[in-house]
Amino acid sequence: MPTMGSSNGLVLLILLVLTISLTLVADASQKRREIPSEEEMIDLKRQLKAINKPALKSFKTEHGYIFDCIEMEKQLAFDHPLLKNHSIQLKPTSIPKWTSDNTTSKRSSSSLPFGQDDITCPLGTVIVKRTTLEELIPLQRLKSVGFFYPSSKNKNADSTNHFAAATYKRDTYGALGNINVWEPHVSSDQFSYASISVARGSGNQLQSISAGWIVYELLNKKHSVLFTYWTTDGFQKTGCYNTLCPGFVQVSRKFALGALAKPVSTYNGQQYHLEVGLYQDSVTGDWWFLIKDERIGYLPRSLFNDEGLANGASIVFWGGEVFSSVKEKSPSMGSGHFPFEGYKKAAYVNGLKVIDHQLAKVIIPPPTSIQLLADSPHCYDAEKEIGKGDWSRAIFFGGPGGCTF
């Protein structure tokens, strides 16, 4: 006759087996739902044909990515109904003066731009990363998830996001900064990125633009790549990554969205950064994305409204964010190390500057105007630094992750 202890043990064993079985069934069901139906596959192929415009010339890199040279006026951007009669701007009417000064600091890092195996498209064309069917499904997921800021927290019950950033909550026409480049570890259902973001509004009225680097395994094989992301309605119906949908006007023949940000920084070793400029043209109102002196492209003013980014931004973010399914621990951010470890160990954004709304010129924001935000400081944090040169306004950010909810 079994004892009370052995009976309890048997019950626990049965419960454990049932739990594992139910989990496996749920996971199998989830995987079946993720496999596109025949109808969905037809729709995906239709989307793919619309996204990938006919190329005059193509290049394949050592990592297996394909870049197409598309006639500038035939790129996907102009499929947007608001851009049907848009006049292409080859360059902004004015470029904010970039004042970089590393001579006053013992800290040094190398600035990208980076290239795709020395690829340059012919005159009259722009370089665009070709989207594959395998990439389109996670791209659609990224689009539906959206990029959520401290003022617009992720409400998706199946996922969560965490951030660590510096903010500037005053009217501006854009921002600049050197974004330290890393390749944080992520699983297939996660992404981790660092960016400069500008925004105005809240809720369904939120309009925002982000630019920097992102690591998303399903999309870029754990590599850090150049990205932009924008929305005009708080991620309700709009929310677009790179050139997945009409809107972003590519003008560069050398540097494509989705291109590798390389080389990347190493712990206690050589540091690399992107000199990112995200600002509104004072004449046309278009929002330009620059990497150092290279004009990548812009989002036309006509995509935004007066309550949003048509007349400048009301808040700027510099820092990082991660996304993860609630079923697993959150991924690392930045270098995967906390800010207190400092230079060469923690990720940073230095050279923080904004384009003042009243003066309409680049200024170094007052120290008191830069505030720090970190929603899960035990997993990710941010620290402000006030120094000299490019380190006169800077933040260290990131962490190892491991948060669960």
Side-chain angles (χ1 to χ4, degrees):
M1 182 174 183
T3 64
M4 181 65 71
S6 62
S7 297
N8 288 341
L10 182 60
V11 171
L12 289 173
L13 179 60
I14 292 171
L15 288 174
L16 178 61
V17 170
L18 285 173
T19 300
I20 294 174
S21 299
L22 289 171
T23 301
L24 291 174
V25 169
D27 288 346
S29 178
Q30 176 65 25
K31 287 180 180 178
R32 284 196 298 272
R33 287 197 298 271
E34 290 176 354
I35 298 174
S37 65
E38 183 177 351
E39 185 177 343
E40 289 171 333
M41 187 61 72
I42 293 173
D43 184 58
L44 286 171
K45 290 180 179 179
R46 179 190 58 78
Q47 292 181 50
L48 203 62
K49 185 177 180 180
I51 291 169
N52 293 321
K53 300 299 184 182
L56 297 183
K57 190 175 182 179
S58 298
F59 304 88
K60 188 172 184 178
T61 71
E62 61 178 317
H63 293 93
Y65 300 118
I66 298 176
F67 291 90
D68 293 325
C69 300
I70 310 295
E71 291 181 70
M72 182 175 290
E73 66 277 9
K74 293 182 180 180
Q75 61 181 291
L76 181 63
F78 303 118
D79 286 359
H80 198 292
L82 294 176
L83 303 182
K84 290 297 183 182
N85 298 312
H86 179 75
S87 297
I88 300 174
Q89 306 298 308
L90 297 179
K91 60 181 180 180
T93 57
S94 62
I95 298 177
K97 185 178 180 181
W98 188 279
T99 54
S100 182
D101 181 11
N102 289 312
T103 60
T104 56
S105 174
K106 293 181 180 179
R107 298 169 175 173
S108 64
S109 61
S110 298
S111 171
L112 307 180
F114 46 90
Q116 300 88 40
D117 303 317
D118 298 321
I119 293 173
T120 300
C121 284
L123 288 171
T125 68
V126 294
I127 186 166
V128 177
K129 182 179 179 293
R130 186 182 301 179
T131 301
T132 66
L133 185 61
E134 293 74 21
E135 292 171 336
L136 189 57
I137 296 172
L139 275 170
Q140 293 292 81
R141 176 171 173 73
L142 189 63
K143 180 179 178 180
S144 66
V145 167
F147 281 31
F148 295 86
Y149 304 97
S151 60
S152 180
K153 189 65 177 172
N154 192 340
K155 298 180 178 62
N156 191 328
D158 297 324
S159 61
T160 186
N161 68 308
H162 305 278
F163 52 83
T167 66
Y168 177 83
K169 297 182 179 180
R170 299 183 184 181
D171 288 344
T172 71
Y173 287 119
L176 309 170
N178 302 320
I179 305 176
N180 196 199
V181 182
W182 294 85
E183 281 184 342
H185 175 75
V186 298
S187 74
S188 60
D189 199 32
Q190 302 173 327
F191 61 74
S192 182
Y193 73 93
S195 72
I196 294 177
S197 303
V198 294
R200 185 184 290 277
S202 61
N204 294 352
Q205 304 302 314
L206 173 70
Q207 298 196 341
S208 66
I209 306 169
S210 297
W213 59 259
I214 187 172
V215 178
Y216 185 19
E217 182 182 338
L218 289 177
L219 189 61
N220 48 49
K221 306 170 187 176
K222 297 186 179 180
H223 296 139
S224 180
V225 301
L226 187 68
F227 88 96
T228 62
Y229 199 93
W230 60 279
T231 183
T232 60
D233 60 0
F235 311 102
Q236 298 302 304
K237 294 182 179 180
T238 66
C240 192
Y241 170 82
N242 289 353
T243 52
L244 176 63
C245 70
F248 185 86
V249 180
Q250 176 81 11
V251 300
S252 177
R253 297 185 295 125
K254 297 180 181 179
F255 307 129
L257 297 175
L260 297 185
K262 62 178 183 180
V264 299
S265 304
T266 56
Y267 185 80
N268 208 26
Q270 180 63 45
Q271 301 298 294
Y272 298 93
H273 64 251
L274 295 172
E275 293 187 16
V276 174
L278 187 58
Y279 73 97
Q280 189 171 31
D281 188 291
S282 59
V283 176
T284 64
D286 302 330
W287 281 92
W288 280 86
F289 174 26
L290 273 67
I291 297 291
K292 200 173 182 179
D293 298 323
E294 180 70 21
R295 303 181 297 273
I296 306 300
Y298 64 93
L299 287 161
R301 184 183 188 274
S302 57
L303 296 175
F304 306 100
N305 58 38
D306 289 341
E307 292 72 34
L309 291 173
N311 298 310
S314 61
I315 187 168
V316 175
F317 299 94
W318 298 270
E321 184 170 0
V322 298
F323 164 88
S324 179
S325 164
V326 295
K327 296 179 181 179
E328 57 184 328
K329 293 181 179 180
S330 60
S332 59
M333 179 193 296
S335 69
H337 293 262
F338 283 112
F340 71 82
E341 294 194 43
Y343 182 64
K344 289 192 175 183
K345 297 176 181 178
Y348 65 82
V349 185
N350 70 7
L352 307 187
K353 298 181 179 71
V354 296
I355 302 176
D356 184 80
H357 198 272
Q358 292 183 329
L359 300 175
K361 68 177 184 179
V362 175
I363 66 167
I364 297 174
T368 55
S369 68
I370 300 174
Q371 304 297 318
L372 299 177
L373 290 174
D375 70 325
S376 304
H378 57 294
C379 292
Y380 317 96
D381 210 351
E383 291 185 2
K384 182 166 53 176
E385 175 154 323
I386 307 298
K388 297 181 179 180
D390 279 348
W391 294 92
S392 64
R393 302 291 184 272
I395 66 161
F396 288 100
F397 70 93
C403 282
T404 56
F405 285 92

